[in-house]
mmCIF file of all heavy atoms in Angstrom:
data_model
loop_
_atom_site.group_PDB
_atom_site.id
_atom_site.type_symbol
_atom_site.label_atom_id
_atom_site.label_comp_id
_atom_site.label_asym_id
_atom_site.label_seq_id
_atom_site.Cartn_x
_atom_site.Cartn_y
_atom_site.Cartn_z
ATOM 1 N N LYS A 222 33.021 -44.952 -24.542
ATOM 2 C CA LYS A 222 33.181 -44.947 -23.064
ATOM 3 C C LYS A 222 31.928 -44.377 -22.413
ATOM 4 O O LYS A 222 31.338 -43.409 -22.927
ATOM 5 C CB LYS A 222 34.386 -44.068 -22.642
ATOM 6 C CG LYS A 222 34.704 -44.105 -21.209
ATOM 7 C CD LYS A 222 35.968 -43.327 -20.879
ATOM 8 C CE LYS A 222 36.320 -43.437 -19.363
ATOM 9 N NZ LYS A 222 36.647 -44.787 -18.991
ATOM 10 N N ARG A 223 31.522 -45.000 -21.326
ATOM 11 C CA ARG A 223 30.357 -44.537 -20.607
ATOM 12 C C ARG A 223 30.798 -44.038 -19.231
ATOM 13 O O ARG A 223 31.573 -44.718 -18.495
ATOM 14 C CB ARG A 223 29.409 -45.728 -20.456
ATOM 15 C CG ARG A 223 28.737 -46.088 -21.764
ATOM 16 C CD ARG A 223 27.882 -47.405 -21.621
ATOM 17 N NE ARG A 223 27.284 -47.743 -22.907
ATOM 18 C CZ ARG A 223 26.031 -47.570 -23.209
ATOM 19 N NH1 ARG A 223 25.202 -47.053 -22.332
ATOM 20 N NH2 ARG A 223 25.545 -47.899 -24.413
ATOM 21 N N ILE A 224 30.275 -42.869 -18.813
ATOM 22 C CA ILE A 224 30.662 -42.278 -17.542
ATOM 23 C C ILE A 224 29.332 -42.043 -16.763
ATOM 24 O O ILE A 224 28.424 -41.385 -17.273
ATOM 25 C CB ILE A 224 31.419 -40.949 -17.742
ATOM 26 C CG1 ILE A 224 32.692 -41.174 -18.591
ATOM 27 C CG2 ILE A 224 31.764 -40.332 -16.315
ATOM 28 C CD1 ILE A 224 33.390 -39.880 -18.939
ATOM 29 N N SER A 225 29.289 -42.522 -15.580
ATOM 30 C CA SER A 225 28.027 -42.355 -14.711
ATOM 31 C C SER A 225 28.253 -41.085 -13.876
ATOM 32 O O SER A 225 29.326 -40.786 -13.360
ATOM 33 C CB SER A 225 27.855 -43.516 -13.786
ATOM 34 O OG SER A 225 26.810 -43.243 -12.904
ATOM 35 N N ILE A 226 27.151 -40.321 -13.800
ATOM 36 C CA ILE A 226 27.174 -39.083 -12.903
ATOM 37 C C ILE A 226 26.656 -39.449 -11.544
ATOM 38 O O ILE A 226 26.447 -38.602 -10.692
ATOM 39 C CB ILE A 226 26.391 -37.923 -13.469
ATOM 40 C CG1 ILE A 226 24.951 -38.234 -13.639
ATOM 41 C CG2 ILE A 226 26.960 -37.501 -14.881
ATOM 42 C CD1 ILE A 226 23.994 -37.038 -14.035
ATOM 43 N N GLY A 227 26.404 -40.706 -11.266
ATOM 44 C CA GLY A 227 25.937 -41.167 -9.980
ATOM 45 C C GLY A 227 24.565 -40.707 -9.624
ATOM 46 O O GLY A 227 23.668 -40.707 -10.436
ATOM 47 N N TYR A 235 23.296 -31.420 -16.133
ATOM 48 C CA TYR A 235 23.243 -31.042 -17.583
ATOM 49 C C TYR A 235 22.693 -29.708 -17.864
ATOM 50 O O TYR A 235 22.932 -29.071 -18.880
ATOM 51 C CB TYR A 235 22.407 -32.080 -18.261
ATOM 52 C CG TYR A 235 22.825 -33.505 -18.204
ATOM 53 C CD1 TYR A 235 21.850 -34.581 -18.054
ATOM 54 C CD2 TYR A 235 24.132 -33.882 -18.167
ATOM 55 C CE1 TYR A 235 22.260 -35.954 -17.978
ATOM 56 C CE2 TYR A 235 24.585 -35.173 -18.045
ATOM 57 C CZ TYR A 235 23.622 -36.205 -17.992
ATOM 58 O OH TYR A 235 24.050 -37.470 -17.828
ATOM 59 N N ASP A 259 21.505 -41.098 -16.134
ATOM 60 C CA ASP A 259 22.761 -40.728 -15.299
ATOM 61 C C ASP A 259 24.049 -41.164 -15.988
ATOM 62 O O ASP A 259 25.121 -41.166 -15.405
ATOM 63 C CB ASP A 259 22.666 -41.455 -13.932
ATOM 64 C CG ASP A 259 22.677 -42.946 -13.996
ATOM 65 O OD1 ASP A 259 22.561 -43.526 -15.128
ATOM 66 O OD2 ASP A 259 22.799 -43.637 -12.984
ATOM 67 N N GLU A 260 23.969 -41.526 -17.317
ATOM 68 C CA GLU A 260 25.136 -41.932 -18.087
ATOM 69 C C GLU A 260 25.432 -40.981 -19.206
ATOM 70 O O GLU A 260 24.550 -40.581 -19.945
ATOM 71 C CB GLU A 260 24.967 -43.314 -18.665
ATOM 72 C CG GLU A 260 25.502 -44.458 -17.843
ATOM 73 C CD GLU A 260 25.712 -45.731 -18.592
ATOM 74 O OE1 GLU A 260 24.968 -45.942 -19.586
ATOM 75 O OE2 GLU A 260 26.479 -46.568 -18.168
ATOM 76 N N ILE A 261 26.718 -40.620 -19.355
ATOM 77 C CA ILE A 261 27.198 -39.905 -20.489
ATOM 78 C C ILE A 261 27.974 -40.892 -21.361
ATOM 79 O O ILE A 261 28.888 -41.583 -20.889
ATOM 80 C CB ILE A 261 28.167 -38.736 -20.069
ATOM 81 C CG1 ILE A 261 27.374 -37.774 -19.173
ATOM 82 C CG2 ILE A 261 28.772 -38.011 -21.293
ATOM 83 C CD1 ILE A 261 28.279 -36.643 -18.551
ATOM 84 N N ILE A 262 27.544 -40.953 -22.637
ATOM 85 C CA ILE A 262 28.138 -41.923 -23.568
ATOM 86 C C ILE A 262 29.020 -41.131 -24.588
ATOM 87 O O ILE A 262 28.510 -40.133 -25.236
ATOM 88 C CB ILE A 262 27.064 -42.715 -24.295
ATOM 89 C CG1 ILE A 262 26.160 -43.367 -23.292
ATOM 90 C CG2 ILE A 262 27.722 -43.707 -25.241
ATOM 91 C CD1 ILE A 262 24.872 -43.955 -23.908
ATOM 92 N N ILE A 263 30.265 -41.481 -24.658
ATOM 93 C CA ILE A 263 31.230 -40.803 -25.521
ATOM 94 C C ILE A 263 31.729 -41.731 -26.517
ATOM 95 O O ILE A 263 32.206 -42.892 -26.259
ATOM 96 C CB ILE A 263 32.425 -40.216 -24.680
ATOM 97 C CG1 ILE A 263 31.901 -39.495 -23.473
ATOM 98 C CG2 ILE A 263 33.262 -39.326 -25.561
ATOM 99 C CD1 ILE A 263 33.018 -39.222 -22.507
ATOM 100 N N ILE A 270 38.856 -38.840 -26.044
ATOM 101 C CA ILE A 270 37.959 -39.328 -24.969
ATOM 102 C C ILE A 270 38.617 -39.214 -23.581
ATOM 103 O O ILE A 270 37.951 -38.838 -22.583
ATOM 104 C CB ILE A 270 37.574 -40.820 -25.232
ATOM 105 C CG1 ILE A 270 36.528 -40.838 -26.376
ATOM 106 C CG2 ILE A 270 36.958 -41.428 -23.956
ATOM 107 C CD1 ILE A 270 36.115 -42.220 -26.771
ATOM 108 N N LEU A 273 38.362 -35.645 -22.301
ATOM 109 C CA LEU A 273 36.986 -35.324 -21.879
ATOM 110 C C LEU A 273 36.717 -36.090 -20.614
ATOM 111 O O LEU A 273 36.089 -35.531 -19.698
ATOM 112 C CB LEU A 273 35.974 -35.703 -22.990
ATOM 113 C CG LEU A 273 34.479 -35.543 -22.557
ATOM 114 C CD1 LEU A 273 34.243 -34.062 -22.128
ATOM 115 C CD2 LEU A 273 33.598 -35.863 -23.747
ATOM 116 N N ASN A 274 37.167 -37.305 -20.517
ATOM 117 C CA ASN A 274 36.979 -38.104 -19.275
ATOM 118 C C ASN A 274 37.477 -37.425 -18.088
ATOM 119 O O ASN A 274 36.825 -37.299 -16.983
ATOM 120 C CB ASN A 274 37.565 -39.502 -19.418
ATOM 121 C CG ASN A 274 37.327 -40.380 -18.185
ATOM 122 O OD1 ASN A 274 36.223 -40.644 -17.758
ATOM 123 N ND2 ASN A 274 38.407 -40.798 -17.532
ATOM 124 N N ASN A 275 38.673 -36.832 -18.126
ATOM 125 C CA ASN A 275 39.325 -36.115 -17.035
ATOM 126 C C ASN A 275 38.496 -34.876 -16.751
ATOM 127 O O ASN A 275 38.398 -34.518 -15.582
ATOM 128 C CB ASN A 275 40.755 -35.774 -17.398
ATOM 129 C CG ASN A 275 41.678 -37.002 -17.486
ATOM 130 O OD1 ASN A 275 41.404 -38.025 -16.889
ATOM 131 N ND2 ASN A 275 42.774 -36.912 -18.216
ATOM 132 N N ILE A 277 35.259 -34.356 -17.273
ATOM 133 C CA ILE A 277 34.029 -34.658 -16.616
ATOM 134 C C ILE A 277 34.250 -35.106 -15.133
ATOM 135 O O ILE A 277 33.453 -34.663 -14.253
ATOM 136 C CB ILE A 277 33.310 -35.854 -17.378
ATOM 137 C CG1 ILE A 277 32.843 -35.321 -18.727
ATOM 138 C CG2 ILE A 277 32.171 -36.392 -16.572
ATOM 139 C CD1 ILE A 277 32.199 -36.381 -19.657
ATOM 140 N N ASN A 278 35.313 -35.806 -14.891
ATOM 141 C CA ASN A 278 35.632 -36.164 -13.492
ATOM 142 C C ASN A 278 35.859 -34.853 -12.657
ATOM 143 O O ASN A 278 35.460 -34.834 -11.509
ATOM 144 C CB ASN A 278 36.881 -37.002 -13.426
ATOM 145 C CG ASN A 278 36.578 -38.471 -13.867
ATOM 146 O OD1 ASN A 278 35.438 -38.912 -13.761
ATOM 147 N ND2 ASN A 278 37.617 -39.198 -14.378
ATOM 148 N N LEU A 281 32.485 -33.472 -11.957
ATOM 149 C CA LEU A 281 31.797 -34.133 -10.973
ATOM 150 C C LEU A 281 32.397 -33.834 -9.531
ATOM 151 O O LEU A 281 31.697 -33.706 -8.530
ATOM 152 C CB LEU A 281 31.910 -35.660 -11.214
ATOM 153 C CG LEU A 281 31.112 -36.143 -12.418
ATOM 154 C CD1 LEU A 281 31.478 -37.612 -12.696
ATOM 155 C CD2 LEU A 281 29.607 -36.054 -12.145
#
Side-chain angles (χ1 to χ4, degrees):
K222 186 175 182 65
R223 293 171 179 255
I224 303 172
S225 173
I226 65 171
Y235 301 144
D259 64 352
E260 263 195 339
I261 299 174
I262 304 166
I263 313 167
I270 287 179
L273 177 55
N274 181 58
N275 291 337
I277 291 176
N278 285 336
L281 291 169

